[in-house]
Amino acid sequence: MPTIVFASPKGGAGKSTAAVLLATELALKGAAVTIIDADPNKPVSEWARREGRPDNLAVVADISEKTIIDEIESAAQKTPFVVVDLEGTASMMVAYAISRADLVIVPTQGSQLDAKEAGKAIKLIKQQEKAFNKAIPYSILFTRTSSAIRPRTLQHIQQEFQKHGVRSFQVQIHEREAYRALFSFGGTLESLNPQFVSNIDAAIVNARAFAGEVVAMLRDVAQKESETKVA
């Protein structure tokens, strides 16, 4: 079953937000999901302790370098989707998780500093590909972007990634109050109270588009793997 890993050496890149958005949208579509919270700050675990978490979404915490592979493999036996939220650093635990990924998502904000850190994550993925002699699909996810403005810096970074053959999501995770509200109130975007949180509908559209692109990407990966085996 697909294991989707969110990895970036930089803290604050939006890994936990994107992981919760993906997991909750998959769960609301009826899929059973496990989030492995391997971030020492445990933002996902704190979110899960609040009311409103879907019944078909489990969160596993207290992960260590020694247990991360076993936890991923165990979760994959129980639920169709496994989402891994990693710590914002380059470590053996991060490397181990990447080695088990069907897709690595590298969140990054639209700055040169963040892009440089994303490059470090890609380098780590390449190292794991070489170590395990396997292809590990990955894609850049731009986060905290504006839904109305596309800065030239962001355009330049996108072009640089494209020039070097680095795939990026077409969907970007926009800067939304609703995403921050999830970690304050718990639950899902759909369960947030519009009296307290603005523009929830736009956030839902954005999150669903992101989840849809992830699923499409996983299908593409599975098809390519199948074609390779046949060949």
Side-chain angles (χ1 to χ4, degrees):
M1 295 300 173
T3 295
I4 305 106
V5 171
F6 287 84
S8 171
K10 185 178 182 299
K15 293 186 296 296
S16 299
T17 298
V20 169
L21 291 178
L22 174 62
T24 52
E25 290 304 319
L26 290 172
L28 290 173
K29 287 293 186 180
V33 184
T34 299
I35 304 181
I36 294 179
D37 185 3
D39 186 330
N41 296 317
K42 294 184 170 44
V44 175
S45 298
E46 291 183 8
W47 163 81
R49 282 193 288 268
R50 302 182 186 277
E51 293 183 3
R53 172 170 56 87
D55 293 336
N56 53 338
L57 196 164
V59 175
V60 178
D62 299 321
I63 307 299
S64 69
E65 180 181 303
K66 293 181 180 180
T67 64
I68 183 72
I69 291 179
D70 289 340
E71 292 290 358
I72 290 174
E73 292 179 348
S74 175
Q77 294 296 319
K78 298 174 183 175
T79 58
F81 290 93
V82 180
V83 176
V84 185
D85 181 30
L86 293 169
E87 59 186 335
T89 184
S91 67
M92 288 305 300
M93 182 164 67
V94 171
Y96 289 154
I98 288 174
S99 74
R100 292 300 187 269
D102 295 290
L103 174 65
V104 180
I105 299 176
V106 183
T108 182
Q109 297 184 53
S111 72
Q112 289 293 345
L113 175 61
D114 285 74
K116 184 177 180 180
E117 294 300 311
K120 293 179 182 178
I122 293 170
K123 184 177 180 180
L124 181 58
I125 294 167
K126 294 296 184 182
Q127 290 173 344
Q128 295 308 108
E129 285 185 324
K130 187 174 182 180
F132 288 88
N133 193 29
K134 59 177 283 191
I136 302 175
Y138 64 91
S139 185
I140 298 292
L141 172 67
F142 288 99
T143 61
R144 296 178 179 171
T145 59
S146 169
S147 59
I149 302 171
R150 190 181 176 209
R152 290 183 179 179
T153 301
L154 176 58
Q155 295 179 47
H156 173 71
I157 292 169
Q158 290 175 309
Q159 291 167 359
E160 284 297 305
F161 278 132
Q162 186 176 16
K163 185 171 69 175
H164 289 90
V166 176
R167 184 175 185 176
S168 297
F169 279 87
Q170 292 183 1
V171 175
Q172 299 174 4
I173 301 298
H174 300 313
E175 182 71 40
R176 296 284 182 189
E177 179 189 358
Y179 299 153
R180 293 188 293 272
L182 274 181
F183 292 88
S184 296
F185 299 111
T188 67
L189 292 173
E190 286 76 0
S191 68
L192 290 175
N193 190 333
Q195 292 184 337
F196 303 116
V197 184
S198 63
N199 296 321
I200 296 174
D201 289 344
I204 291 172
V205 169
N206 189 204
R208 287 179 179 174
F210 166 54
E213 190 170 357
V214 171
V215 171
M217 202 172 287
L218 288 169
R219 286 174 179 163
D220 183 53
V221 168
Q223 182 177 350
K224 288 180 179 178
E225 288 179 351
S226 177
E227 292 172 353
T228 300
K229 289 179 181 178
V230 171

